[in-house]
Amino acid sequence: MLLILLILGCNPRSERKLQLNEKPYFDIAGYFSKEAERLQTKEPLIKKVVNKNNDPEERQIQLENWKNEFELFISSDINKPDWLTSYAIDSSAQKTSYSAKDPKLRTKNIQIYRNKKGQIEKIAIQNSDKNWLYHSSEKLIYYTDSFYKIEKMQSICLIGTNKYSVEGLIKK
């Protein structure tokens, strides 16, 4: 009987499963998926400005697919099993920051700002990739229910540099 209890109590699979199911960092992917669903239902009017290499275009639209609009935010998720200890956390009552410990990680920094009630007001994300052929950087900002901005720069050897930005003012 004691042997059976020892075997069941030391099952490494259940320990590993528990660690993989827990999210050590804020769930960026889950948050923006829920925001996409909520805004999809709400159907707000957006004043959207898209700018490519200083050539802006502005439109008033209702987005058909918020999940696509938030794809860069969602792909900045840092809750991967291999990254359980890859980010330093600095937290206060109204701000939590996650900073990459390894410069090779794509998502360099995430900052989450909360109001006095603990509700998320703003999320700012910095991503970048670099190798001998390609360099890319992204700055993503989201103010809950009011504004989002995506700034992206891509520099490809022999092709050149392109700068993009998308700003969306969410009208109530």
Side-chain angles (χ1 to χ4, degrees):
M1 181 73 143
L2 183 59
L3 182 61
I4 293 172
L5 286 174
L6 282 173
I7 291 171
L8 290 176
C10 294
N11 186 349
R13 265 197 220 152
S14 63
E15 251 183 52
R16 213 175 303 125
K17 215 182 236 186
L18 178 66
Q19 287 177 347
L20 293 177
N21 288 335
E22 291 177 7
K23 295 189 187 285
Y25 310 116
F26 179 79
D27 185 9
I28 287 287
Y31 176 81
F32 280 100
S33 292
K34 286 178 186 171
E35 281 294 283
E37 288 174 20
R38 187 179 64 78
L39 290 166
Q40 197 72 45
T41 301
K42 193 175 174 185
E43 298 181 331
L45 188 63
I46 306 297
K47 177 183 171 186
K48 187 172 180 178
V49 179
V50 177
N51 191 339
K52 181 180 178 192
N53 296 326
N54 296 318
D55 184 18
E57 182 180 324
E58 183 178 317
R59 290 188 182 164
Q60 301 265 350
I61 61 169
Q62 281 186 309
L63 290 174
E64 292 181 22
N65 191 331
W66 277 95
K67 196 158 188 171
N68 282 350
E69 196 74 4
F70 286 152
E71 185 56 39
L72 288 175
F73 292 90
I74 292 168
S75 69
S76 299
D77 181 34
I78 60 175
N79 283 299
K80 308 285 190 240
D82 292 343
W83 299 343
L84 290 176
T85 59
S86 297
Y87 287 85
I89 303 169
D90 183 19
S91 188
S92 68
Q94 293 177 318
K95 180 182 173 187
T96 303
S97 296
Y98 302 97
S99 300
K101 294 178 184 177
D102 181 350
K104 294 177 186 170
L105 292 171
R106 180 180 165 272
T107 299
K108 305 298 185 204
N109 188 275
I110 297 174
Q111 296 179 342
I112 301 161
Y113 299 84
R114 297 179 186 273
N115 62 21
K116 290 180 181 179
K117 295 179 182 177
Q119 299 165 325
I120 295 174
E121 287 185 329
K122 174 185 173 185
I123 295 179
I125 302 170
Q126 292 182 335
N127 296 322
S128 70
D129 279 325
K130 188 174 185 176
N131 61 36
W132 65 275
L133 185 62
Y134 174 84
H135 178 248
S136 149
S137 66
E138 299 168 352
K139 280 177 66 177
L140 314 172
I141 299 171
Y142 177 67
Y143 288 90
T144 305
D145 267 342
S146 62
F147 178 78
Y148 64 96
K149 184 173 186 174
I150 298 166
E151 291 179 334
K152 186 167 182 147
M153 185 278 303
Q154 292 179 321
S155 181
I156 303 173
C157 191
L158 302 175
I159 294 178
T161 300
N162 286 304
K163 293 181 180 179
Y164 309 89
S165 70
V166 176
E167 293 181 11
L169 180 63
I170 302 170
K171 297 185 176 188
K172 297 180 181 186

